[in-house]
Amino acid sequence: MGDSLSHLPQQLANGLTLGAVYALIALGYSLVYGVLRLLNFAHGEVYMVGAFIGYGVLSLLDPALAAGLPGWLGLTAMLLAAMLGCGLLGALIERLVYRPLRHTHRLAPLLGALGIAFVLQHGVLLLASARHRAIHAELILPAALGFELGSVRLSAARLLVIGIALLLLAALSLLVYRTRMGRALRAIGADPEAAAMLGVPVERVVSQTFVLGSALAGAAGVLVGLVFTKVWHLMGVAAGLKGFTAAVLGGIGSLPGALLGGLLLGIAESVSTGVISPTYSDLIVFGVLIVALLVRPSGLFGKRAQPKV
Amino acid sequence: MSLLMCDQLTMAFGGLQVLRGLSFAVEPGQIVALIGPNGAGKTTALNLISGLGRPTSGAIRLEGRSIAGLAPAAISQLGVARNFQSLRLFLNMSVLENMTAVGYRRARTNTLQAVLWTPAFRRDAALWRARAEELLGLFGSRLGPHRYDQPAYSLSYANRRRLEIARALMTRPKLLLLDEPAAGMNPHETDELAALIAALPRRFGLAILLIEHDMGLVERVADQVIVLDHGAAIAVGSFAEVTADHQVIAAYLGQSARAAPDEPPEEEAP
């Protein structure tokens, strides 16, 4: 035990990386939920597709990188392709599945989401087989690169994940709190009917919300690929569940909540893996969630549910 | 051509007949008041005009074009805006955000330009904000600059009503629907509001269809008054004309409805 405790600072640092990724995924859940009160359970699969797009771009660029293309350009290409691809995928899912189901039974969009999740998993399975694909992150970031503070070591990949995640979070909060689209998005979340009657283009803003959330998931997929150096077609299942958990822990619908929930979950997972046991880490993480929800049923930043008049 | 034309509107919710052949018109620049006892169908009529529901039968025409059953967003785009009797502000957003969130179909720049923060976008945003400030300025210091960044939930009841009117004007409507805009205001505030409402048609080139229980306000602003009872118009004319009508007096004071005309409407606490 004493030996495990000495890993604590390192596990905290690792947890920060994991947490940044969970936060990016959780933001997608929270954005969509905040606007539509819809749980987009295909979100984890969009993240998985993002990881595969990153893998594909890296494979394409492999010769160019070997020939001296700077690594940061390769990374930018991976991120842009994944964010763009996933953004489009998100808009497509919304248009083809959620929009037609929006005013039907409450459970229909949820089942539609599960259906889309299977379609994406098996689509990727068909295209890429069930093999784990290795991401050669060293093509982009020399493995030796990194940063050390006492016994704690953060690799360049981990630092990059945290940095890019923070950058995207900042960009998102600017968009949501400082632009017309963000105001429209919050107005629809508050009262879609009143917003529509006042000329807010609800369908367009909903599409844009899916593009945003899905692009963040795509970025998260690329970043995870760089840290854990492999991608496979079922990687979205656990990550989607953790991202959703982080969103609920923070208070679903709340953007600061998604960030905090993601970081807490990542750190809890990392610390319980390193200090207690990898076998029990999920048990501990979800145990923490249950306790947190018993104490604060609407999450850390969530508002108390108010009865509708 | 009339700006708004309602022809033989009927609306039934299950077995409950709320409107029974309601017909009336609103001319450009006019202020028309719909009055009547509680349950006469006034708000239902307003809801149908703004696209909340489709009439069971009958026609609604805006500048000759049928709008019955169109989506609220489409009707907003054709130039109809409204406030809500029950107040539907975006409570967690600031006063200015409530104003600038709406009606931006008319904006000339898109989200990409917003993200890139282009000069065209900044110009557009500045114009939009200037318009919001101008409209809030209609209420003088009540919604003055010190309130711009306050969240809507912190506003008083009367200020919430004012903000809803200003917000509706952001969409540049041809027809403004006002559902009990003076509810919850004291006599002095109601007076102030009456002066403002009376000035709106000329200033913004719009017509107003108004539901109001405060007869003083109706008398001051309405060019024409339509009295509803049991879902149909029982009198149409100037305020003086309809208040002299014995059918109207019977509707208000008779057995069919006990509500006095100036009784405050039922409202939840702010």
Side-chain angles (χ1 to χ4, degrees):
Chain A
M1 198 70 188
D3 189 42
S4 331
L5 268 182
S6 68
H7 296 154
L8 188 59
Q10 180 65 53
Q11 292 303 336
L12 279 174
N14 293 352
L16 216 55
T17 322
L18 201 58
V21 171
Y22 289 158
L24 281 179
I25 301 174
L27 280 170
Y29 273 112
S30 255
L31 262 180
V32 166
Y33 184 84
V35 175
L36 287 183
R37 303 290 179 273
L38 164 75
L39 293 174
N40 175 16
F41 277 124
H43 196 57
E45 268 50 57
V46 173
Y47 149 91
M48 176 271 294
V49 170
F52 268 92
I53 293 176
Y55 167 78
V57 172
L58 189 62
S59 311
L60 278 178
L61 290 180
D62 198 331
L65 286 163
L69 182 77
W72 64 268
L73 264 180
L75 176 69
T76 311
M78 286 168 78
L79 277 174
L80 279 183
M83 290 178 76
L84 217 67
C86 288
L88 284 176
L89 179 63
L92 204 68
I93 293 172
E94 191 272 330
R95 187 68 193 83
L96 295 181
V97 183
Y98 297 141
R99 196 178 299 181
L101 294 178
R102 196 170 311 150
H103 299 292
T104 57
H105 193 277
R106 279 176 54 201
L107 283 178
L110 204 65
L111 294 175
L114 292 175
I116 281 292
F118 287 126
V119 167
L120 291 177
Q121 278 167 20
H122 290 265
V124 173
L125 177 64
L126 276 176
L127 285 173
S129 84
R131 267 197 307 134
H132 288 211
R133 303 282 175 153
I135 296 253
H136 299 290
E138 70 278 3
L139 287 172
I140 286 192
L141 299 156
L145 218 63
F147 161 85
E148 273 179 53
L149 187 80
S151 62
V152 180
R153 184 183 144 73
L154 269 178
S155 68
R158 285 184 180 271
L159 276 177
L160 200 74
V161 169
I162 297 175
I164 290 177
L166 286 180
L167 204 71
L168 289 173
L169 291 171
L172 181 74
S173 58
L174 270 180
L175 199 69
V176 170
Y177 293 104
R178 290 278 178 272
T179 70
R180 207 168 51 200
M181 183 225 163
R183 287 192 295 271
L185 186 152
R186 285 182 290 144
I188 295 169
D191 189 338
E193 204 172 63
M197 272 192 274
L198 290 158
V200 176
V202 175
E203 303 300 351
R204 197 168 82 204
V205 175
V206 166
S207 272
Q208 288 173 337
T209 306
F210 270 86
V211 170
L212 269 182
S214 305
L216 292 179
V222 169
L223 296 177
V224 158
L226 288 180
V227 173
F228 296 99
T229 63
K230 63 176 190 206
V231 296
W232 64 304
H233 73 290
L234 291 180
M235 68 186 279
V237 179
L241 190 60
K242 299 271 173 64
F244 172 64
T245 306
V248 172
L249 180 62
I252 192 151
S254 154
L255 299 188
L259 174 60
L260 188 68
L263 289 177
L264 282 179
L265 198 72
I267 290 170
E269 181 175 337
S270 199
V271 168
S272 51
T273 302
V275 177
I276 302 166
S277 153
T279 319
Y280 297 122
S281 77
D282 280 353
L283 180 73
I284 292 162
V285 166
F286 290 106
V288 166
L289 172 79
I290 291 172
V291 172
L293 288 182
L294 284 174
V295 179
R296 284 191 65 91
S298 46
L300 300 171
F301 278 65
K303 286 174 210 74
R304 279 171 166 280
Q306 280 169 349
K308 294 244 174 189
V309 185
Chain B
M1 188 193 333
S2 299
L3 177 64
L4 176 75
M5 184 77 186
C6 290
D7 191 21
Q8 290 297 316
L9 276 185
T10 68
M11 184 70 184
F13 296 105
L16 184 66
Q17 195 80 21
V18 183
L19 293 179
R20 310 162 189 260
L22 173 64
S23 300
F24 66 93
V26 179
E27 305 302 327
Q30 225 183 11
I31 299 181
V32 174
L34 275 180
I35 65 170
N38 285 331
K42 304 181 298 285
T43 294
T44 301
L46 225 60
N47 284 347
L48 293 179
I49 297 166
S50 53
L52 283 183
R54 178 192 284 274
T56 309
S57 70
I60 308 173
R61 293 180 188 284
L62 188 74
E63 296 180 311
R65 174 181 173 162
S66 171
I67 59 166
L70 284 186
I75 293 176
S76 158
Q77 240 185 325
L78 291 172
V80 178
R82 67 172 295 177
N83 75 337
F84 299 90
Q85 184 189 349
S86 52
L87 286 169
R88 289 168 79 167
L89 290 168
F90 310 127
L91 288 177
N92 285 317
M93 293 164 65
S94 76
V95 167
L96 261 187
E97 285 177 335
N98 265 275
M99 295 291 286
T100 49
V102 309
Y104 72 81
R105 279 172 197 280
R106 286 159 208 267
R108 284 176 300 275
T109 50
N110 57 37
T111 304
L112 187 64
Q113 284 168 298
V115 172
L116 299 176
W117 204 248
T118 62
F121 168 75
R122 278 176 305 191
R123 263 199 310 280
D124 206 28
L127 276 176
W128 205 241
R129 184 182 163 122
R131 173 150 180 85
E133 290 182 4
E134 181 201 336
L135 293 174
L136 290 171
L138 291 173
F139 298 99
S141 63
R142 293 193 182 276
L143 289 175
H146 63 293
R147 299 243 185 257
Y148 287 177
D149 295 321
Q150 289 182 2
Y153 65 71
S154 74
L155 296 179
S156 71
Y157 199 58
N159 266 339
R160 292 185 191 195
R161 293 227 172 270
R162 296 185 183 105
L163 179 55
E164 273 209 343
I165 296 173
R167 185 180 67 171
L169 289 171
M170 280 301 280
T171 66
R172 298 182 191 274
K174 294 171 190 159
L175 176 66
L176 178 62
L177 308 174
L178 294 178
D179 195 351
E180 299 195 23
M185 289 191 178
N186 66 33
H188 175 68
E189 291 169 334
T190 304
D191 236 32
E192 221 177 70
L193 184 70
L196 176 86
I197 290 175
L200 288 178
R202 191 168 297 173
R203 177 149 179 191
F204 296 105
L206 49 77
I208 295 174
L209 180 62
L210 169 82
I211 294 178
E212 186 49 65
H213 281 284
D214 185 312
M215 287 303 127
L217 187 143
V218 171
E219 182 173 16
R220 267 187 74 180
V221 306
D223 299 307
Q224 194 177 41
V225 178
I226 297 158
V227 187
L228 254 67
D229 193 28
H230 296 296
I234 56 168
V236 177
S238 70
F239 184 80
E241 281 162 14
V242 302
T243 46
D245 189 303
H246 61 90
Q247 244 191 312
V248 174
I249 296 167
Y252 270 106
L253 305 175
Q255 294 163 322
S256 60
R258 292 190 185 277
D262 54 358
E263 185 184 72
E266 290 157 36
E267 289 282 354
E268 70 274 33

